[in-house]
Amino acid sequence: MSTLLRVKLRRDLRASWSRFVLMVVAIAVSLTVFGGMLCAWAAIGRETGGAYLSTEPASATIVLDRGVTPERMASVLAAARTRPGVREATGRTQFEGAVEVGGTVLDIPLQVFVAAADDPMRMVRFDLGQRGRWPPSGGEILLGTDSLRLLGVAVGDSITVHGPDGPVRLRVAGTVYDPGLAPSPQEQRGRGYVSATAVALPFDQVKVQVADPEGRARDRVVAVATEVGDWLRREQGLRVAEIQVPEPYAHPHQWQADVLLLSLMAGGAAALLLSTILVATMLNTLFTRQIPQLGIMKAIGARTGTVGRHYLVMISLVAAAATLIASAPAVWIGRTLLGTLLTTLGVRPVSLAAPWWAYVVILVAGLGLPPLMALPPLVRASRTTVRAAIDHHGAASEPGGLAVRLGRVPRLDRGLLMALRNTVRRPARFWLSTGLLAAAGAVFVAGMSLEAGVDAITREEAARRTWDVDVQLAAPAAREAAVEAARRVPGVTRAEGFGVMPVGVAGPRGFPVTWTYPDQGHGRITLIALPRGVTTFPKLLEGRALHPGESGAIVLSRTVRKKTVPALVPGDDVRLFIEGRVTSWRVAGIVEERGGDNVYVTAEGLAAAQGRPQQVDRLRVYTGGHDERTRDAVAAAVRTALADAGITVRSAASVSRAEAVGEGHMGPLLLVLLGIAVPLGVLGVIGLASTMSANVLDRTREFGIMHAIGARPRTVRRIVAAEGLLLALAGCVAAVVPAVALTWLLGAGLGNLFMNVPVPFRISVPGAVIWVVLALLGAALATDAAATRASRLTVREALAHL
């Protein structure tokens, strides 16, 4: 670049420094968001995948109908390792029981994983934390690191675990870090690890690893596990109750994090694209103002390539400055977001740094996209001929057709009329400004509306939970005895008993195969036996509901059908594996549920299938008062009453605890949209400021004439300010249809991902009002500089304007 062009470049940057600052800010804000999301997304798969694989997870868990001794399991495993496709095998068992601390039985259950004392931990292993060692002694237990605070205990304390064989007192000998499980606080469940010497239970789980690369395909894992199940039945005399095959080598919540980050990154990419379009538009306005200068440069010998390089350097400087400003915040946001999400997943990061290619993408996007988008106006300006420059008389200010029609509106304030006409004078500029504001408003309102939909779900679930206390029994008990013991408690108005147990669902042939993870929560299919007179039931989609007291009929949730036998329709037969026993049922209907994979039968039907009197292991207790104090008091009294009746209670707690579990899963939804709305809102304000600045420059002569004929500065200022407010209102109006559509799309998409059903469609009126107020405030701020300049414009400056 020649010396003269360098001088011109410096003068151009100095003369339009505010415009260039807006360009840099627009690109930097959107690049920061995009880069942060990209860094987090690029690293989260590595961290979650690495942490999950470090546990050497089982490809499949074959659940036996009844356990065997550790010695028998050892011989079975030795033979299982020789089966085709099996790389490794181990035997385990687990149970969930109440935990007692300091004489108080906690409402938080404890899930206990049991392994042989001589287990080499070649698979399904965990890392030992504070003072942890394996195997712990017979009177010791290891707790998950995040379970300590949840249970309110510390290393060295003693707890009493109520297991299948009664209470066992154990000392907390250390901690365990197990990234293969969802965090305890999120699941509201403690995690404990003991050896078979502490809890004398038979092993009922055969965990196998399928050899790579077949082990990466779930269909192949199912085939190998099914063959092993047939072999166990045929040659070992063991009956299989269920085969659990989760998504191979994937953390139970990893897909949620991926969806969140991909959504945020898509929003950041859209914001980056819009910012570069905005910058290209602002540059086009600048190039138009400099057409006379271009004519002079061409007249004295400047070539098209020389002029093009000059402007290319200009936009490259803007892109470089924005990239430099955005790089550090993008990395920081990426690391912070990644750390937060990994904490949510219960994963300790090895490194928060993104892979090298993520930084390259940020640099390429920041340095390359703005010049690329600005290329059309740049080429057009550099090709301006001397004749075209001579014929140029400044920006046209002739109002368009809409502006002319607005001028015919009777009894309209002349200042407001001028503001209306000037707002739509430049259609392309008008639509760019309103489009940016509309995009930000649509995303913001959709985010608030999605939150309203989630709140509606919470209220709906709370309305359906008309009972006050949930009681889980440690073992099934006679229905009449348990219900009557609860009913006699003072303050209890009603009690209902349910049978709740895990089951396997299969078609006419084969083993039941589920997506259940090792925590036995994610992907587990649960059977619920409904008593007579139950008042709550999910929404029916196909077929019919259960008739009171009928046997042999079953209702499945839509997700259970999808994951087990997709072709099932009402009237078909299905097999349930209940406690290792195969039973046949006729499908009565299909229901829709928000979360949970459940099947429903009547209490009489379950008793008939099991060939024994009705039993319950879950109670719903209704109280006269619905406040938390009454609920807690009744829960404690019900626990005592059931214990006096010889029934061991695993947990008794207010239904508000179920809401805490739901919040742990639903919390990230709002983050998706609000994280996108912020940069789009900033871009909208910048676009509005750019539009008003360009409009004032276009009408410099007009403002000069107004001042010459006696217009006061405050009158001119009011007109320009009104233009900005009208643009903001136009953006709010333009956001209505996109906001409604986006709310519906995101409610359907995210609802199906997180809860298996769409989020109820709600439009947040408070969210819309908040956005209108924010848009008007932003318009006032964005218009202030342009309005001030217009009000202070002198007649001499107007005459000197080309």
Side-chain angles (χ1 to χ4, degrees):
M1 180 181 293
S2 66
T3 303
L4 289 178
L5 286 178
R6 283 198 295 270
V7 172
K8 176 173 170 46
L9 178 61
R10 287 197 301 270
R11 290 181 176 178
D12 287 345
L13 294 175
R14 189 183 303 116
S16 302
W17 67 269
S18 59
R19 185 181 297 271
F20 287 110
V21 168
L22 288 177
M23 294 181 192
V24 170
V25 172
I27 297 175
V29 169
S30 57
L31 185 61
T32 297
V33 175
F34 171 74
M37 300 307 107
L38 177 64
C39 288
W41 175 76
I44 195 168
R46 177 197 66 207
E47 295 300 317
T48 54
Y52 192 70
L53 289 178
S54 69
T55 67
E56 289 293 334
S59 304
T61 299
I62 302 172
V63 182
L64 306 178
D65 69 329
R66 60 187 60 191
V68 299
T69 64
E71 294 76 18
R72 173 77 192 284
M73 178 61 73
S75 64
V76 170
L77 295 174
R81 295 186 185 102
T82 65
R83 302 303 303 171
V86 176
R87 183 177 66 183
E88 184 58 82
T90 190
R92 301 286 173 85
T93 190
Q94 64 188 78
F95 67 91
E96 185 175 298
V99 57
E100 184 177 342
V101 179
T104 301
V105 179
L106 304 181
D107 294 330
I108 305 295
L110 182 67
Q111 188 175 27
V112 182
F113 299 90
V114 185
D118 59 351
D119 193 317
M121 291 293 171
R122 288 192 294 266
M123 61 177 291
V124 196
R125 63 192 186 193
F126 41 79
D127 292 337
L128 297 171
Q130 178 187 3
R131 293 162 56 182
R133 63 181 180 84
W134 185 266
S137 67
E140 295 179 339
I141 186 173
L142 304 176
L143 292 182
T145 304
D146 56 359
S147 298
L148 293 179
R149 180 176 297 181
L150 183 66
L151 299 176
V153 299
V155 175
D157 293 348
S158 293
I159 62 175
T160 300
V161 179
H162 295 265
D165 291 338
V168 180
R169 188 166 181 80
L170 302 170
R171 187 181 71 87
V172 180
T175 59
V176 163
Y177 165 56
D178 190 348
L181 304 174
S184 290
Q186 192 177 82
E187 300 297 318
Q188 291 291 293
R189 180 189 302 166
R191 303 277 170 50
Y193 303 79
V194 299
S195 68
T197 57
V199 181
L201 292 177
F203 286 7
D204 61 354
Q205 296 179 355
V206 178
K207 294 181 176 288
V208 298
Q209 278 185 340
V210 177
D212 288 334
E214 290 85 358
R216 301 282 175 172
R218 187 175 184 272
D219 291 343
R220 175 58 179 165
V221 173
V222 170
V224 172
T226 302
E227 192 281 328
V228 173
D230 283 332
W231 169 78
L232 289 173
R233 175 182 54 81
R234 185 178 61 253
E235 298 188 20
Q236 300 294 324
L238 302 175
R239 290 196 300 178
V240 175
E242 178 186 354
I243 297 177
Q244 301 172 353
V245 185
E247 187 67 29
Y249 302 118
H251 190 280
H253 283 176
Q254 182 173 341
W255 63 272
Q256 293 179 350
D258 289 339
V259 169
L260 285 173
L261 288 176
L262 283 173
S263 301
L264 286 169
M265 189 169 65
L272 181 59
L273 182 61
L274 288 174
S275 69
T276 55
I277 294 174
L278 173 61
V279 168
T281 304
M282 296 171 71
L283 285 171
N284 184 56
T285 302
L286 177 64
F287 297 158
T288 302
R289 289 179 55 199
Q290 292 192 353
I291 286 178
Q293 300 178 28
L294 293 175
I296 296 172
M297 293 170 64
K298 288 291 185 72
I300 62 176
R303 297 185 177 182
T304 298
T306 304
V307 176
R309 285 194 297 272
H310 166 72
Y311 286 130
L312 185 61
V313 170
M314 181 185 294
I315 183 58
S316 296
L317 288 175
V318 171
T323 303
L324 181 64
I325 294 172
S327 296
V331 173
W332 179 81
I333 289 175
R335 288 174 176 245
T336 302
L337 180 59
L338 177 62
T340 302
L341 288 176
L342 290 178
T343 300
T344 302
L345 296 176
V347 174
R348 294 177 184 172
V350 176
S351 172
L352 294 177
W356 64 269
W357 58 264
Y359 303 119
V360 173
V361 171
I362 294 174
L363 292 176
V364 170
L367 296 176
L369 194 56
L372 180 64
M373 297 301 294
L375 200 58
L378 185 152
V379 171
R380 188 165 53 248
S382 64
R383 290 178 176 176
T384 302
T385 63
V386 176
R387 181 178 181 84
I390 293 174
D391 291 339
H392 180 72
H393 299 290
S397 60
E398 184 67 26
L402 179 59
V404 172
R405 286 191 293 271
L406 287 173
R408 298 170 184 166
V409 178
R411 297 181 181 180
L412 190 63
D413 179 80
R414 306 314 297 173
L416 180 59
L417 174 60
M418 183 173 289
L420 283 169
R421 294 177 63 181
N422 292 333
T423 299
V424 297
R425 187 187 298 266
R426 290 282 193 160
R429 196 177 292 164
F430 169 78
W431 287 115
L432 175 64
S433 299
T434 56
L436 287 171
L437 288 172
V443 174
F444 181 84
V445 174
M448 298 296 290
S449 299
L450 189 62
E451 183 186 32
V454 173
D455 289 341
I457 293 175
T458 303
R459 291 193 299 270
E460 181 182 330
E461 293 296 326
R464 291 181 68 248
R465 284 195 294 268
T466 54
W467 63 98
D468 297 277
V469 176
D470 275 318
V471 181
Q472 295 186 32
L473 307 182
R479 177 182 177 278
E480 290 299 327
V483 171
E484 284 302 319
R487 285 175 180 169
R488 288 194 296 267
V489 172
V492 174
T493 60
R494 182 183 172 191
E496 296 175 339
F498 295 79
V500 180
M501 63 186 67
V503 295
V505 178
R509 297 181 180 179
F511 296 115
V513 179
T514 67
W515 294 72
T516 309
Y517 275 84
D519 60 8
Q520 300 303 305
H522 292 83
R524 184 182 70 173
I525 298 176
T526 302
L527 180 143
I528 301 178
L530 303 174
R532 289 178 179 267
V534 67
T535 57
T536 60
F537 196 71
K539 177 182 177 182
L540 191 67
L541 297 178
E542 301 176 30
R544 63 173 178 83
L546 296 171
H547 298 314
E550 74 172 317
S551 299
I554 185 173
V555 170
L556 290 78
S557 72
R558 180 170 58 179
T559 54
V560 169
R561 177 175 66 175
K562 179 180 178 181
K563 293 179 179 179
T564 55
V565 190
L568 277 179
V569 295
D572 289 347
D573 291 330
V574 68
R575 293 189 303 160
L576 290 188
F577 288 65
I578 305 174
E579 297 177 342
R581 187 175 176 183
V582 182
T583 57
S584 296
W585 302 76
R586 178 65 54 86
V587 177
I590 306 295
V591 296
E592 179 180 79
E593 285 189 304
R594 293 189 176 96
D597 298 332
N598 300 322
V599 298
Y600 298 88
V601 300
T602 63
E604 293 82 358
L606 178 61
Q610 293 179 311
R612 64 190 185 194
Q614 293 184 29
Q615 292 184 318
V616 297
D617 50 15
R618 190 77 54 88
L619 298 177
R620 292 177 180 175
V621 178
Y622 300 76
T623 66
H626 304 295
D627 57 284
E628 286 304 306
R629 178 178 297 179
T630 301
R631 289 173 172 176
D632 291 340
V634 169
V638 168
R639 183 191 295 274
T640 301
L642 290 172
D644 292 342
I647 301 172
T648 304
V649 176
R650 176 183 298 171
S651 67
S654 168
V655 292
S656 59
R657 188 178 137 216
E659 297 174 2
V661 176
E663 289 173 359
H665 289 81
M666 302 292 293
L669 285 173
L670 185 60
L671 176 65
V672 176
L673 297 182
L674 296 186
I676 298 172
V678 172
L680 287 176
V682 173
L683 289 179
V685 172
I686 293 175
L688 182 57
S690 172
T691 296
M692 294 311 303
S693 176
N695 286 347
V696 169
L697 287 173
D698 285 350
R699 303 200 313 277
T700 298
R701 289 184 178 182
E702 179 181 324
F703 290 133
I705 294 172
M706 292 175 63
H707 284 293
I709 62 177
R712 295 182 178 183
R714 65 181 181 182
T715 302
V716 176
R717 182 183 184 87
R718 187 175 68 249
I719 292 173
V720 176
E723 292 178 29
L725 294 178
L726 289 172
L727 279 172
L729 288 175
C732 293
V733 173
V736 172
V737 174
V740 172
L742 190 60
T743 299
W744 182 82
L745 287 173
L746 289 173
L750 294 177
N752 284 320
L753 281 172
F754 284 87
M755 299 173 293
N756 300 321
V757 294
V759 174
F761 180 79
R762 299 287 188 277
I763 293 296
S764 174
V765 175
V769 173
I770 290 172
W771 177 253
V772 171
V773 173
L774 291 176
L776 293 178
L777 289 176
L781 293 174
T783 310
D784 182 70
T788 301
R789 183 180 184 279
S791 65
R792 294 177 179 176
L793 191 67
T794 65
V795 177
R796 181 182 181 86
E797 290 174 335
L799 293 175
H801 182 73
L802 287 173

